[in-house]
């Protein structure tokens, strides 16, 4: 019966079921596999050594990052999702240990938009699962720090304050920043400043106006005049070129606008997410996992980015949950299933490391973390599987 749910939806959408009929059993199988893999590696790691971030080429163990790294919240968040799925108390204990290490984020002025990733993915999931009052306190304090980066003249939060001097970018906003809005939305309805809702909406609307080309592809970075709000530059930092389309940036856009539609019900965000999803899906190679940039002059020898695929899949499932049109629901659920099927295949599962997925790219232009496992690929992959399961329960 459960399998029928996926099969029927995909049939409605007319998608290529013969290729990948990713179904209920596959979702459960992959969540079980992910849980075992993570539990197996827990004993080999020391929480005092920091937060898993990447596995270097030729190695099997996670290399770690400190609490100030933008990826610190993903591993605790992954543990929360897998605990929630399995009820395994080993995962609960470790989730609590790693989450406790995120506490300093609330006290220090980190001065980066990444506060949302760092706090909401780890502590946000911890609060959702346990309701612990101290987690709520940390989240609210961190939202207050993040809100300090909002510039009302521009209408967005500043992403990289240090780039003001280093590059002469007075106010800069990257597409990734859309994800950090979730912490502001959450705070506005959980005892924080209610104005954070308006800030988040303003950020999303300004981004929608300035960050996209007519074909719905995303620029990575927009530089603004901090006094007038005027757009000064539209460029890239992690993509192939200013006028190319960095795959993970496009995935952040789908996820971010789907989340904004969920939080506000504003149809402009729904339509934006749909446009961005259509760009992403129509530019994928046959196996549904993008190269690290959608506009490479020649893909021969270029790397895929599994993290972009996982982020997009999770965002698509969020979108499906809140869409009303059954044909669109089917279309995007089917697409998410195709992506997850591919990520779950031998080509992308990491067999010889502690990570769940292989083949992500951190930043090719910086020659950093190329074609390796990266923690946020695992986090969004497990989140997507979890969302798939929740969607199915809703439809029972
Ligand atoms: N937010 C940083 C990245 O996606 O690499």
């Amino acid at each position: 019966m459960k399998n029928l749910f996926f099969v029927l939806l995909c049939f409605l959408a007319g998608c290529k079921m013969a290729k990948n009929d990713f179904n209920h059993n596959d979702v459960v199988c992959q969540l079980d596999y992910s849980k075992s893999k993570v539990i197996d590696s827990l004993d080999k790691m020391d929480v005092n050594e920091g937060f898993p971030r990447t596995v270097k080429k030729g190695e099997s163990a996670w290399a770690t990052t400190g609490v100030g790294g933008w990826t610190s919240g993903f591993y605790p968040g992954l543990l929360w999702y897998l605990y929630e799925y399995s009820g395994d108390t080993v995962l609960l204990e470790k989730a609590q240990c790693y989450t406790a290490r995120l506490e300093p984020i609330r006290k220090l002025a980190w001065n980066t938009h990444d506060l949302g990733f760092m706090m909401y993915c780890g502590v946000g999931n911890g609060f959702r699962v346990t309701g612990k009052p101290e987690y709520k306190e940390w989240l609210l304090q961190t939202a207050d720090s993040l809100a300090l980066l909002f510039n009302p003249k521009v209408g967005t939060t500043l992403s990289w304050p240090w780039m003001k001097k280093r590059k002469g970018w007075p106010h800069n906003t990257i597409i990734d920043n859309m994800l950090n809005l979730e912490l502001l939305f959450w705070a506005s309805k959980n005892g924080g400043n209610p104005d954070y809702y308006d800030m988040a909406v303003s950020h999303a609307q300004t981004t929608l106006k300035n960050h996209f080309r007519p074909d719905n592809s995303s620029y990575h970075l927009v530089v603004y005049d901090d006094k007038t709000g005027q757009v000064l530059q539209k460029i890239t930092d992690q993509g192939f070129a200013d006028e190319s389309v960095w795959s993970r940036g496009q995935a952040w856009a789908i996820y971010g606008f789907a989340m904004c539609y969920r939080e506000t019900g504003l149809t402009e965000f729904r339509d934006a997410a749909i446009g961005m999803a259509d760009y992403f899906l129509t530019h994928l190679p046959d196996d549904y996992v993008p190269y690290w940039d959608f506009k490479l002059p020649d893909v021969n020898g270029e790397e895929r980015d599994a993290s972009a695929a996982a982020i997009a899949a999770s965002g698509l499932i969020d979108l499906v949950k809140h869409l009303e049109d059954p044909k669109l629901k089917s279309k995007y659920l089917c697409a998410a299933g195709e992506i997850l099927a591919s990520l779950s295949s031998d080509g992308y599962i990491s067999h010889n490391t502690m990570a769940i997925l292989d083949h992500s790219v951190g930043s090719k232009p910086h020659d950093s973390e190329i074609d390796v496992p990266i923690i946020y690929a695992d986090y969004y992959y497990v989140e997507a599987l979890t969302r798939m399961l929740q969607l199915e329960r809703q439809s029972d």
Side-chain angles (χ1 to χ4, degrees), residues 32 37 67 76 89 209 271 312 324 377:
D32 285 341
K37 187 118 200 220
V67 67
T89 51
K209 190 166 137 215
D271 297 345
E324 293 197 338

Side-chain angles (χ1 to χ4, degrees), residues 140 143-144 147 150 181-202 263-264:
L140 289 174
D144 290 342
F150 185 77
L181 305 183
E182 198 164 5
L183 177 62
L184 296 178
F185 280 125
W186 178 90
S188 74
K189 57 186 182 194
N190 282 279
N193 186 338
D195 294 346
Y196 294 168
Y197 177 95
D198 297 328
M199 277 185 195
V201 169
S202 163
E263 291 299 323
T264 66

